Amino acid sequence: MQRLLTVFIPAFTRVLPALACAGLLVTGASAAGDQPSVPYVPTPQAVVDRMLAMAKVTAQDYLIDLGSGDGRIVVTAAKKFGARGFGVDLNPVRIDEANTNARKAGVTDKVAFYQRNLFETDLSDATVITMYLLPRVNLQLRPKLLELKPGTRLVSHDFDMGDWKPDASVRMDAGDKFSGAGGDSDVYFWVVPAKVAGNWRSQFPVSGKPQTYEFQFEQQYQMVSGSVQVNGRPVKILDAKLRGAELAFSFTAEVNGTPVKHEFSGRVDGGRITGQAALSGSRLTARVEWIAERAVRAAGLEARN
Ligand SMILES: C[S@@+](CC[C@H](N)C(=O)[O-])C[C@H]1O[C@@H](n2cnc3c(N)ncnc32)[C@H](O)[C@@H]1O
């Protein structure tokens, strides 16, 4: 119990007496390996509803709740939206409760609950991942989450992901939080970004002449910046936006002697970006298809030299 208290963060510690009275603390999972204990504290139903709304869960989704408690997030996603998915929890009592709740809700054909360590769970099928853990656990999970399919949506109750800033967040009043003690709840939302950092090359005809674009992107999570060389001249990339695999950016560069605004959008798929570019200048308006390939060979040669 003492160890549990020392890893617990201040927001939780303010309501520890209420939790202890409700008998919730003693049911928390014990630490797995060097991972901190995460006590069982259920997410209020209004917060569950907001989490699923933020992730825009639909019947096409496969949702995984990490540390699923009594299964309320997975069960609500199935009952309300027809989503499929599963939850994992270390505590067998929670797994029993979750299975009972799934039966009561009539969603056993859509959901399952496994007694399993969340750090040893394959997350690759997920389109949505939900969690109500602890800040340190979120940070331990972060590298694994960043390796998921670009576009996978993540929602966390109360705890953020350090310097990986959320794409959206909301603070709401949760009257029935902490067994009725009440309090605010924060909900954080992220979309796993594609990996775009590095060098890319694209070539397509503009006014009948082939133009070569050499992009260099820097990336921190979903934040992207960079430059592009057009006919050997470097230009800064503006307004870069990356959401999952969808990338958009613009720049103005000289083409055939006149400035042309370039607005690119495309979808990143491994080492290839495919999309459209809108070009507009005093002597030119065009919409073209573009493909960029990762400049792997050039990078490899540089690395050897
Ligand atoms: C704060 S509760 C959240 C329960 C539920 N997701 C909700 O929001 O209502 C955290 C849950 O994570 C479980 N847990 C803690 N560490 C875990 C681990 N390493 N693997 C799986 N479950 C874990 C605990 O047993 C507890 O039920």
PDB file of all heavy atoms in Angstrom, residues 150-151 164 167 191-197 217-225 239-249 266-268 273:
ATOM      1  N   PRO A 150       0.351   4.610 -38.604  1.00  0.00           N
ATOM      2  CA  PRO A 150      -0.022   6.029 -38.644  1.00  0.00           C
ATOM      3  C   PRO A 150      -1.540   6.148 -38.764  1.00  0.00           C
ATOM      4  O   PRO A 150      -2.174   5.394 -39.504  1.00  0.00           O
ATOM      5  CB  PRO A 150       0.662   6.536 -39.915  1.00  0.00           C
ATOM      6  CG  PRO A 150       1.813   5.599 -40.109  1.00  0.00           C
ATOM      7  CD  PRO A 150       1.354   4.261 -39.616  1.00  0.00           C
ATOM      8  N   GLY A 151      -2.099   7.062 -38.005  1.00  0.00           N
ATOM      9  CA  GLY A 151      -3.551   7.240 -38.025  1.00  0.00           C
ATOM     10  C   GLY A 151      -4.238   6.581 -36.835  1.00  0.00           C
ATOM     11  O   GLY A 151      -5.410   6.860 -36.576  1.00  0.00           O
ATOM     12  N   TRP A 164       5.198  15.015 -26.121  1.00  0.00           N
ATOM     13  CA  TRP A 164       4.336  14.717 -27.281  1.00  0.00           C
ATOM     14  C   TRP A 164       2.984  15.384 -27.001  1.00  0.00           C
ATOM     15  O   TRP A 164       2.135  14.839 -26.293  1.00  0.00           O
ATOM     16  CB  TRP A 164       4.175  13.212 -27.482  1.00  0.00           C
ATOM     17  CG  TRP A 164       3.343  12.865 -28.690  1.00  0.00           C
ATOM     18  CD1 TRP A 164       2.904  13.716 -29.668  1.00  0.00           C
ATOM     19  CD2 TRP A 164       2.842  11.568 -29.050  1.00  0.00           C
ATOM     20  NE1 TRP A 164       2.169  13.040 -30.601  1.00  0.00           N
ATOM     21  CE2 TRP A 164       2.116  11.716 -30.252  1.00  0.00           C
ATOM     22  CE3 TRP A 164       2.940  10.304 -28.472  1.00  0.00           C
ATOM     23  CZ2 TRP A 164       1.485  10.647 -30.883  1.00  0.00           C
ATOM     24  CZ3 TRP A 164       2.325   9.245 -29.104  1.00  0.00           C
ATOM     25  CH2 TRP A 164       1.610   9.416 -30.299  1.00  0.00           C
ATOM     26  N   ASP A 167      -3.139  16.322 -29.909  1.00  0.00           N
ATOM     27  CA  ASP A 167      -3.792  17.013 -31.034  1.00  0.00           C
ATOM     28  C   ASP A 167      -5.031  17.750 -30.542  1.00  0.00           C
ATOM     29  O   ASP A 167      -5.467  18.707 -31.166  1.00  0.00           O
ATOM     30  CB  ASP A 167      -4.180  15.998 -32.115  1.00  0.00           C
ATOM     31  CG  ASP A 167      -2.953  15.385 -32.767  1.00  0.00           C
ATOM     32  OD1 ASP A 167      -2.251  16.118 -33.471  1.00  0.00           O
ATOM     33  OD2 ASP A 167      -2.669  14.195 -32.526  1.00  0.00           O
ATOM     34  N   VAL A 191      -3.156  11.522 -32.613  1.00  0.00           N
ATOM     35  CA  VAL A 191      -3.180  10.628 -33.776  1.00  0.00           C
ATOM     36  C   VAL A 191      -1.722  10.240 -34.031  1.00  0.00           C
ATOM     37  O   VAL A 191      -0.853  11.128 -34.124  1.00  0.00           O
ATOM     38  CB  VAL A 191      -3.761  11.339 -35.014  1.00  0.00           C
ATOM     39  CG1 VAL A 191      -3.759  10.390 -36.210  1.00  0.00           C
ATOM     40  CG2 VAL A 191      -5.170  11.846 -34.727  1.00  0.00           C
ATOM     41  N   VAL A 192      -1.450   8.946 -34.127  1.00  0.00           N
ATOM     42  CA  VAL A 192      -0.063   8.501 -34.353  1.00  0.00           C
ATOM     43  C   VAL A 192       0.413   9.035 -35.706  1.00  0.00           C
ATOM     44  O   VAL A 192      -0.219   8.780 -36.737  1.00  0.00           O
ATOM     45  CB  VAL A 192       0.037   6.950 -34.333  1.00  0.00           C
ATOM     46  CG1 VAL A 192       1.432   6.490 -34.741  1.00  0.00           C
ATOM     47  CG2 VAL A 192      -0.341   6.416 -32.956  1.00  0.00           C
ATOM     48  N   PRO A 193       1.501   9.816 -35.695  1.00  0.00           N
ATOM     49  CA  PRO A 193       1.958  10.411 -36.957  1.00  0.00           C
ATOM     50  C   PRO A 193       2.826   9.452 -37.776  1.00  0.00           C
ATOM     51  O   PRO A 193       3.571   8.642 -37.219  1.00  0.00           O
ATOM     52  CB  PRO A 193       2.798  11.609 -36.484  1.00  0.00           C
ATOM     53  CG  PRO A 193       3.313  11.204 -35.133  1.00  0.00           C
ATOM     54  CD  PRO A 193       2.312  10.246 -34.533  1.00  0.00           C
ATOM     55  N   ALA A 194       2.747   9.599 -39.102  1.00  0.00           N
ATOM     56  CA  ALA A 194       3.663   8.856 -39.983  1.00  0.00           C
ATOM     57  C   ALA A 194       5.071   9.408 -39.779  1.00  0.00           C
ATOM     58  O   ALA A 194       5.244  10.524 -39.280  1.00  0.00           O
ATOM     59  CB  ALA A 194       3.231   9.043 -41.430  1.00  0.00           C
ATOM     60  N   LYS A 195       6.054   8.625 -40.203  1.00  0.00           N
ATOM     61  CA  LYS A 195       7.445   9.084 -40.085  1.00  0.00           C
ATOM     62  C   LYS A 195       7.847   9.776 -41.394  1.00  0.00           C
ATOM     63  O   LYS A 195       7.890   9.129 -42.445  1.00  0.00           O
ATOM     64  CB  LYS A 195       8.351   7.893 -39.807  1.00  0.00           C
ATOM     65  CG  LYS A 195       8.088   7.292 -38.431  1.00  0.00           C
ATOM     66  CD  LYS A 195       9.050   6.160 -38.129  1.00  0.00           C
ATOM     67  CE  LYS A 195       8.926   5.688 -36.709  1.00  0.00           C
ATOM     68  NZ  LYS A 195       7.592   5.252 -36.315  1.00  0.00           N
ATOM     69  N   VAL A 196       8.103  11.068 -41.306  1.00  0.00           N
ATOM     70  CA  VAL A 196       8.453  11.806 -42.528  1.00  0.00           C
ATOM     71  C   VAL A 196       9.841  12.435 -42.459  1.00  0.00           C
ATOM     72  O   VAL A 196      10.321  12.959 -43.465  1.00  0.00           O
ATOM     73  CB  VAL A 196       7.405  12.905 -42.870  1.00  0.00           C
ATOM     74  CG1 VAL A 196       6.042  12.307 -43.110  1.00  0.00           C
ATOM     75  CG2 VAL A 196       7.345  13.978 -41.799  1.00  0.00           C
ATOM     76  N   ALA A 197      10.489  12.399 -41.290  1.00  0.00           N
ATOM     77  CA  ALA A 197      11.794  13.063 -41.161  1.00  0.00           C
ATOM     78  C   ALA A 197      12.776  12.486 -42.179  1.00  0.00           C
ATOM     79  O   ALA A 197      12.804  11.276 -42.403  1.00  0.00           O
ATOM     80  CB  ALA A 197      12.336  12.861 -39.752  1.00  0.00           C
ATOM     81  N   PHE A 217      12.654  17.132 -44.516  1.00  0.00           N
ATOM     82  CA  PHE A 217      11.714  17.350 -43.410  1.00  0.00           C
ATOM     83  C   PHE A 217      12.370  17.060 -42.064  1.00  0.00           C
ATOM     84  O   PHE A 217      13.077  16.060 -41.913  1.00  0.00           O
ATOM     85  CB  PHE A 217      10.496  16.416 -43.538  1.00  0.00           C
ATOM     86  CG  PHE A 217       9.613  16.727 -44.715  1.00  0.00           C
ATOM     87  CD1 PHE A 217       9.350  15.754 -45.671  1.00  0.00           C
ATOM     88  CD2 PHE A 217       9.035  17.987 -44.864  1.00  0.00           C
ATOM     89  CE1 PHE A 217       8.528  16.028 -46.747  1.00  0.00           C
ATOM     90  CE2 PHE A 217       8.204  18.257 -45.939  1.00  0.00           C
ATOM     91  CZ  PHE A 217       7.952  17.282 -46.886  1.00  0.00           C
ATOM     92  N   GLU A 218      12.123  17.955 -41.111  1.00  0.00           N
ATOM     93  CA  GLU A 218      12.432  17.659 -39.711  1.00  0.00           C
ATOM     94  C   GLU A 218      11.098  17.377 -39.024  1.00  0.00           C
ATOM     95  O   GLU A 218      10.080  17.949 -39.414  1.00  0.00           O
ATOM     96  CB  GLU A 218      13.091  18.853 -39.014  1.00  0.00           C
ATOM     97  CG  GLU A 218      14.561  19.019 -39.328  1.00  0.00           C
ATOM     98  CD  GLU A 218      14.811  20.139 -40.313  1.00  0.00           C
ATOM     99  OE1 GLU A 218      14.305  21.249 -40.062  1.00  0.00           O
ATOM    100  OE2 GLU A 218      15.462  19.886 -41.342  1.00  0.00           O
ATOM    101  N   GLN A 219      11.146  16.534 -38.009  1.00  0.00           N
ATOM    102  CA  GLN A 219       9.882  16.125 -37.389  1.00  0.00           C
ATOM    103  C   GLN A 219      10.075  15.926 -35.902  1.00  0.00           C
ATOM    104  O   GLN A 219      11.044  15.317 -35.454  1.00  0.00           O
ATOM    105  CB  GLN A 219       9.439  14.788 -38.015  1.00  0.00           C
ATOM    106  CG  GLN A 219       8.219  14.181 -37.380  1.00  0.00           C
ATOM    107  CD  GLN A 219       7.737  12.941 -38.121  1.00  0.00           C
ATOM    108  OE1 GLN A 219       8.498  12.319 -38.863  1.00  0.00           O
ATOM    109  NE2 GLN A 219       6.496  12.580 -37.900  1.00  0.00           N
ATOM    110  N   GLN A 220       9.155  16.488 -35.137  1.00  0.00           N
ATOM    111  CA  GLN A 220       9.058  16.106 -33.724  1.00  0.00           C
ATOM    112  C   GLN A 220       7.610  15.688 -33.503  1.00  0.00           C
ATOM    113  O   GLN A 220       6.695  16.526 -33.521  1.00  0.00           O
ATOM    114  CB  GLN A 220       9.449  17.247 -32.795  1.00  0.00           C
ATOM    115  CG  GLN A 220       9.805  16.673 -31.444  1.00  0.00           C
ATOM    116  CD  GLN A 220       9.866  17.698 -30.339  1.00  0.00           C
ATOM    117  OE1 GLN A 220       9.394  18.817 -30.477  1.00  0.00           O
ATOM    118  NE2 GLN A 220      10.421  17.302 -29.212  1.00  0.00           N
ATOM    119  N   TYR A 221       7.394  14.377 -33.383  1.00  0.00           N
ATOM    120  CA  TYR A 221       6.036  13.836 -33.289  1.00  0.00           C
ATOM    121  C   TYR A 221       5.245  14.300 -34.517  1.00  0.00           C
ATOM    122  O   TYR A 221       5.683  14.072 -35.628  1.00  0.00           O
ATOM    123  CB  TYR A 221       5.380  14.207 -31.959  1.00  0.00           C
ATOM    124  CG  TYR A 221       6.248  13.853 -30.777  1.00  0.00           C
ATOM    125  CD1 TYR A 221       6.829  14.847 -29.990  1.00  0.00           C
ATOM    126  CD2 TYR A 221       6.530  12.531 -30.472  1.00  0.00           C
ATOM    127  CE1 TYR A 221       7.646  14.517 -28.917  1.00  0.00           C
ATOM    128  CE2 TYR A 221       7.344  12.200 -29.403  1.00  0.00           C
ATOM    129  CZ  TYR A 221       7.899  13.196 -28.628  1.00  0.00           C
ATOM    130  OH  TYR A 221       8.719  12.866 -27.578  1.00  0.00           O
ATOM    131  N   GLN A 222       4.090  15.006 -34.305  1.00  0.00           N
ATOM    132  CA  GLN A 222       3.271  15.430 -35.438  1.00  0.00           C
ATOM    133  C   GLN A 222       3.691  16.805 -35.979  1.00  0.00           C
ATOM    134  O   GLN A 222       3.076  17.299 -36.924  1.00  0.00           O
ATOM    135  CB  GLN A 222       1.776  15.419 -35.071  1.00  0.00           C
ATOM    136  CG  GLN A 222       1.315  16.490 -34.086  1.00  0.00           C
ATOM    137  CD  GLN A 222       1.483  16.100 -32.637  1.00  0.00           C
ATOM    138  OE1 GLN A 222       2.563  15.702 -32.241  1.00  0.00           O
ATOM    139  NE2 GLN A 222       0.443  16.232 -31.829  1.00  0.00           N
ATOM    140  N   MET A 223       4.699  17.434 -35.365  1.00  0.00           N
ATOM    141  CA  MET A 223       5.149  18.750 -35.815  1.00  0.00           C
ATOM    142  C   MET A 223       6.224  18.581 -36.899  1.00  0.00           C
ATOM    143  O   MET A 223       7.246  17.931 -36.650  1.00  0.00           O
ATOM    144  CB  MET A 223       5.743  19.560 -34.658  1.00  0.00           C
ATOM    145  CG  MET A 223       4.858  19.624 -33.427  1.00  0.00           C
ATOM    146  SD  MET A 223       3.264  20.360 -33.766  1.00  0.00           S
ATOM    147  CE  MET A 223       3.743  22.052 -33.888  1.00  0.00           C
ATOM    148  N   VAL A 224       5.973  19.175 -38.061  1.00  0.00           N
ATOM    149  CA  VAL A 224       6.885  19.001 -39.194  1.00  0.00           C
ATOM    150  C   VAL A 224       7.316  20.372 -39.708  1.00  0.00           C
ATOM    151  O   VAL A 224       6.511  21.307 -39.779  1.00  0.00           O
ATOM    152  CB  VAL A 224       6.186  18.204 -40.327  1.00  0.00           C
ATOM    153  CG1 VAL A 224       7.061  18.137 -41.572  1.00  0.00           C
ATOM    154  CG2 VAL A 224       5.838  16.795 -39.847  1.00  0.00           C
ATOM    155  N   SER A 225       8.598  20.497 -40.041  1.00  0.00           N
ATOM    156  CA  SER A 225       9.093  21.713 -40.694  1.00  0.00           C
ATOM    157  C   SER A 225      10.127  21.255 -41.717  1.00  0.00           C
ATOM    158  O   SER A 225      10.433  20.062 -41.795  1.00  0.00           O
ATOM    159  CB  SER A 225       9.709  22.666 -39.670  1.00  0.00           C
ATOM    160  OG  SER A 225      10.750  21.994 -39.002  1.00  0.00           O
ATOM    161  N   ASP A 239       3.558  26.086 -43.142  1.00  0.00           N
ATOM    162  CA  ASP A 239       2.256  25.501 -42.774  1.00  0.00           C
ATOM    163  C   ASP A 239       2.220  23.982 -42.890  1.00  0.00           C
ATOM    164  O   ASP A 239       1.206  23.431 -43.342  1.00  0.00           O
ATOM    165  CB  ASP A 239       1.125  26.025 -43.690  1.00  0.00           C
ATOM    166  CG  ASP A 239       1.075  27.528 -43.741  1.00  0.00           C
ATOM    167  OD1 ASP A 239       1.324  28.131 -42.698  1.00  0.00           O
ATOM    168  OD2 ASP A 239       0.791  28.070 -44.823  1.00  0.00           O
ATOM    169  N   ALA A 240       3.300  23.312 -42.525  1.00  0.00           N
ATOM    170  CA  ALA A 240       3.270  21.839 -42.651  1.00  0.00           C
ATOM    171  C   ALA A 240       2.335  21.269 -41.586  1.00  0.00           C
ATOM    172  O   ALA A 240       2.395  21.647 -40.414  1.00  0.00           O
ATOM    173  CB  ALA A 240       4.673  21.273 -42.487  1.00  0.00           C
ATOM    174  N   LYS A 241       1.478  20.360 -42.037  1.00  0.00           N
ATOM    175  CA  LYS A 241       0.534  19.708 -41.106  1.00  0.00           C
ATOM    176  C   LYS A 241       0.580  18.210 -41.361  1.00  0.00           C
ATOM    177  O   LYS A 241       0.472  17.777 -42.513  1.00  0.00           O
ATOM    178  CB  LYS A 241      -0.894  20.204 -41.346  1.00  0.00           C
ATOM    179  CG  LYS A 241      -1.107  21.612 -40.853  1.00  0.00           C
ATOM    180  CD  LYS A 241      -2.581  22.009 -40.872  1.00  0.00           C
ATOM    181  CE  LYS A 241      -2.729  23.477 -40.510  1.00  0.00           C
ATOM    182  NZ  LYS A 241      -2.031  24.390 -41.440  1.00  0.00           N
ATOM    183  N   LEU A 242       0.735  17.464 -40.285  1.00  0.00           N
ATOM    184  CA  LEU A 242       0.759  16.010 -40.409  1.00  0.00           C
ATOM    185  C   LEU A 242      -0.268  15.456 -39.442  1.00  0.00           C
ATOM    186  O   LEU A 242      -0.217  15.696 -38.237  1.00  0.00           O
ATOM    187  CB  LEU A 242       2.160  15.487 -40.032  1.00  0.00           C
ATOM    188  CG  LEU A 242       2.333  13.972 -40.045  1.00  0.00           C
ATOM    189  CD1 LEU A 242       2.131  13.410 -41.450  1.00  0.00           C
ATOM    190  CD2 LEU A 242       3.720  13.595 -39.514  1.00  0.00           C
ATOM    191  N   ARG A 243      -1.231  14.748 -39.990  1.00  0.00           N
ATOM    192  CA  ARG A 243      -2.230  14.090 -39.133  1.00  0.00           C
ATOM    193  C   ARG A 243      -2.281  12.636 -39.567  1.00  0.00           C
ATOM    194  O   ARG A 243      -2.783  12.323 -40.663  1.00  0.00           O
ATOM    195  CB  ARG A 243      -3.575  14.758 -39.308  1.00  0.00           C
ATOM    196  CG  ARG A 243      -4.582  14.221 -38.298  1.00  0.00           C
ATOM    197  CD  ARG A 243      -5.554  15.315 -37.954  1.00  0.00           C
ATOM    198  NE  ARG A 243      -6.617  14.857 -37.121  1.00  0.00           N
ATOM    199  CZ  ARG A 243      -6.868  15.327 -35.914  1.00  0.00           C
ATOM    200  NH1 ARG A 243      -6.119  16.252 -35.382  1.00  0.00           N
ATOM    201  NH2 ARG A 243      -7.887  14.887 -35.226  1.00  0.00           N
ATOM    202  N   GLY A 244      -1.741  11.771 -38.737  1.00  0.00           N
ATOM    203  CA  GLY A 244      -1.642  10.370 -39.130  1.00  0.00           C
ATOM    204  C   GLY A 244      -0.741  10.265 -40.345  1.00  0.00           C
ATOM    205  O   GLY A 244       0.433  10.669 -40.300  1.00  0.00           O
ATOM    206  N   ALA A 245      -1.307   9.749 -41.456  1.00  0.00           N
ATOM    207  CA  ALA A 245      -0.514   9.609 -42.675  1.00  0.00           C
ATOM    208  C   ALA A 245      -0.731  10.779 -43.639  1.00  0.00           C
ATOM    209  O   ALA A 245      -0.132  10.818 -44.714  1.00  0.00           O
ATOM    210  CB  ALA A 245      -0.884   8.304 -43.367  1.00  0.00           C
ATOM    211  N   GLU A 246      -1.612  11.713 -43.280  1.00  0.00           N
ATOM    212  CA  GLU A 246      -1.952  12.812 -44.194  1.00  0.00           C
ATOM    213  C   GLU A 246      -1.030  14.000 -43.958  1.00  0.00           C
ATOM    214  O   GLU A 246      -1.004  14.572 -42.866  1.00  0.00           O
ATOM    215  CB  GLU A 246      -3.410  13.260 -43.984  1.00  0.00           C
ATOM    216  CG  GLU A 246      -4.452  12.164 -44.158  1.00  0.00           C
ATOM    217  CD  GLU A 246      -4.483  11.566 -45.567  1.00  0.00           C
ATOM    218  OE1 GLU A 246      -4.163  12.304 -46.526  1.00  0.00           O
ATOM    219  OE2 GLU A 246      -4.792  10.373 -45.690  1.00  0.00           O
ATOM    220  N   LEU A 247      -0.294  14.359 -45.001  1.00  0.00           N
ATOM    221  CA  LEU A 247       0.670  15.460 -44.913  1.00  0.00           C
ATOM    222  C   LEU A 247       0.242  16.589 -45.850  1.00  0.00           C
ATOM    223  O   LEU A 247      -0.166  16.338 -46.983  1.00  0.00           O
ATOM    224  CB  LEU A 247       2.057  14.940 -45.332  1.00  0.00           C
ATOM    225  CG  LEU A 247       3.185  15.955 -45.376  1.00  0.00           C
ATOM    226  CD1 LEU A 247       3.529  16.464 -43.968  1.00  0.00           C
ATOM    227  CD2 LEU A 247       4.440  15.343 -46.019  1.00  0.00           C
ATOM    228  N   ALA A 248       0.325  17.828 -45.384  1.00  0.00           N
ATOM    229  CA  ALA A 248       0.048  18.986 -46.247  1.00  0.00           C
ATOM    230  C   ALA A 248       1.057  20.076 -45.920  1.00  0.00           C
ATOM    231  O   ALA A 248       1.469  20.216 -44.763  1.00  0.00           O
ATOM    232  CB  ALA A 248      -1.377  19.487 -46.020  1.00  0.00           C
ATOM    233  N   PHE A 249       1.468  20.820 -46.937  1.00  0.00           N
ATOM    234  CA  PHE A 249       2.405  21.930 -46.704  1.00  0.00           C
ATOM    235  C   PHE A 249       2.389  22.833 -47.940  1.00  0.00           C
ATOM    236  O   PHE A 249       1.818  22.474 -48.983  1.00  0.00           O
ATOM    237  CB  PHE A 249       3.827  21.418 -46.423  1.00  0.00           C
ATOM    238  CG  PHE A 249       4.392  20.544 -47.512  1.00  0.00           C
ATOM    239  CD1 PHE A 249       5.089  21.063 -48.589  1.00  0.00           C
ATOM    240  CD2 PHE A 249       4.208  19.169 -47.460  1.00  0.00           C
ATOM    241  CE1 PHE A 249       5.601  20.252 -49.589  1.00  0.00           C
ATOM    242  CE2 PHE A 249       4.707  18.338 -48.463  1.00  0.00           C
ATOM    243  CZ  PHE A 249       5.416  18.887 -49.520  1.00  0.00           C
ATOM    244  N   GLY A 266      -0.738  15.096 -49.448  1.00  0.00           N
ATOM    245  CA  GLY A 266      -0.450  13.716 -49.850  1.00  0.00           C
ATOM    246  C   GLY A 266      -0.548  12.764 -48.685  1.00  0.00           C
ATOM    247  O   GLY A 266      -0.751  13.177 -47.542  1.00  0.00           O
ATOM    248  N   ARG A 267      -0.430  11.498 -49.043  1.00  0.00           N
ATOM    249  CA  ARG A 267      -0.539  10.440 -48.028  1.00  0.00           C
ATOM    250  C   ARG A 267       0.792   9.704 -47.957  1.00  0.00           C
ATOM    251  O   ARG A 267       1.331   9.262 -48.982  1.00  0.00           O
ATOM    252  CB  ARG A 267      -1.675   9.494 -48.452  1.00  0.00           C
ATOM    253  CG  ARG A 267      -2.009   8.512 -47.400  1.00  0.00           C
ATOM    254  CD  ARG A 267      -3.233   7.664 -47.732  1.00  0.00           C
ATOM    255  NE  ARG A 267      -3.327   6.661 -46.711  1.00  0.00           N
ATOM    256  CZ  ARG A 267      -3.821   6.860 -45.503  1.00  0.00           C
ATOM    257  NH1 ARG A 267      -4.333   8.032 -45.183  1.00  0.00           N
ATOM    258  NH2 ARG A 267      -3.823   5.901 -44.603  1.00  0.00           N
ATOM    259  N   VAL A 268       1.310   9.581 -46.747  1.00  0.00           N
ATOM    260  CA  VAL A 268       2.604   8.922 -46.542  1.00  0.00           C
ATOM    261  C   VAL A 268       2.368   7.430 -46.377  1.00  0.00           C
ATOM    262  O   VAL A 268       1.534   7.010 -45.566  1.00  0.00           O
ATOM    263  CB  VAL A 268       3.291   9.453 -45.260  1.00  0.00           C
ATOM    264  CG1 VAL A 268       4.693   8.884 -45.115  1.00  0.00           C
ATOM    265  CG2 VAL A 268       3.309  10.978 -45.243  1.00  0.00           C
ATOM    266  N   ILE A 273       5.310   9.119 -50.764  1.00  0.00           N
ATOM    267  CA  ILE A 273       4.186  10.032 -50.516  1.00  0.00           C
ATOM    268  C   ILE A 273       3.481  10.234 -51.852  1.00  0.00           C
ATOM    269  O   ILE A 273       4.138  10.520 -52.866  1.00  0.00           O
ATOM    270  CB  ILE A 273       4.643  11.405 -49.983  1.00  0.00           C
ATOM    271  CG1 ILE A 273       5.559  11.245 -48.768  1.00  0.00           C
ATOM    272  CG2 ILE A 273       3.437  12.270 -49.617  1.00  0.00           C
ATOM    273  CD1 ILE A 273       6.189  12.550 -48.271  1.00  0.00           C
TER     274      ILE A 273
END
